[in-house]
Amino acid sequence: MSRAAVVEETYLPSRGDELAPIMDFLAAHEAAGRAVPEPRYFLAGARPGDQVELPEEVYLALRKVVDAMRSGLAVSVVPQTTRLTTQQAADLLNVSRPTVVKLLDEGEVPFERAGTHRRVLLADLLDYRERRRESQYEMLARTRDAVDEDNVEQTLEHLKQARKAVASRRAAQE
């Protein structure tokens, strides 16, 4: 792997009219591929037959890049190691390092030891992050279902009390 392959790069969006055909092609391909058991993605060159098959992960990354650029956003590509320190894991989860250590010690996220240091596999951390998001969405759905539209003030007071109770439990655990 060349040195350039591991450097963070930021790409500015092109004009929207240049990205629209790519997005249309990707969307049509995705829609047409639903009946196909194993979708396949190719990167084609200028000459007939000049193509290479893309792994699904590359295709999904390309979809995200094109979608972001189409929305007028710049895109940064940041290579990540697959074994993270607790600080790198904390940065990825947007929490403190002690919070990550606590998650590891409680068995929420598997980890390996390298001497006295903990190392977290990126795949395990991403799996935990997805489980956490699903749990948060479930709680939001339950909260929305519990809202009494006839008595919004009382519902808001119940939510404040619930937030205070959760904050108290967290403070007691730390």
Side-chain angles (χ1 to χ4, degrees):
M1 184 183 309
S2 70
R3 173 78 179 126
V6 294
V7 175
E8 176 179 341
E9 295 288 336
T10 298
Y11 303 95
L12 295 173
S14 301
R15 295 188 337 254
D17 58 333
E18 292 175 352
L19 296 174
I22 297 170
M23 201 62 190
D24 292 344
F25 171 80
L26 294 172
H29 178 70
E30 187 175 85
R34 289 186 185 156
V36 179
E38 281 190 46
R40 296 172 65 194
Y41 312 102
F42 295 90
L43 179 62
R47 295 184 310 264
D50 186 13
Q51 66 182 22
V52 63
E53 187 168 355
L54 298 176
E56 184 177 15
E57 296 83 9
V58 173
Y59 168 76
L60 294 173
L62 176 62
R63 284 289 309 243
K64 288 183 185 236
V65 167
V66 170
D67 194 36
M69 290 176 125
R70 186 171 169 221
S71 298
L73 300 172
V75 175
S76 294
V77 177
V78 184
Q80 287 278 347
T81 180
T82 57
R83 285 175 37 124
L84 307 175
T85 65
T86 52
Q87 185 59 58
Q88 290 169 319
D91 293 343
L92 192 107
L93 293 177
N94 200 24
V95 299
S96 69
R97 193 190 67 75
T99 298
V100 168
V101 170
K102 181 178 166 191
L103 290 170
L104 300 179
D105 290 343
E106 291 175 348
E108 291 290 327
V109 180
F111 67 96
E112 303 168 345
R113 285 211 180 261
T116 59
H117 302 284
R118 297 174 179 92
R119 296 292 181 255
V120 181
L121 293 178
L122 180 59
D124 291 336
L125 194 65
L126 294 175
D127 190 43
Y128 166 77
R129 186 175 71 177
E130 185 59 31
R131 287 192 324 265
R132 185 178 71 173
R133 282 184 181 160
E134 287 175 10
S135 173
Q136 290 169 339
Y137 288 139
E138 286 173 18
M139 283 190 264
L140 283 172
R142 283 193 301 234
T143 301
R144 186 179 55 227
D145 293 343
V147 171
D148 181 2
E149 292 182 20
D150 295 334
N151 196 346
V152 174
E153 292 300 320
Q154 183 179 8
T155 301
L156 288 174
E157 186 58 37
H158 287 305
L159 289 173
K160 280 183 188 177
Q161 291 172 1
R163 270 200 326 258
K164 285 181 183 178
V166 168
S168 295
R169 279 198 307 264
R170 283 185 184 153
Q173 290 175 351
E174 291 178 359

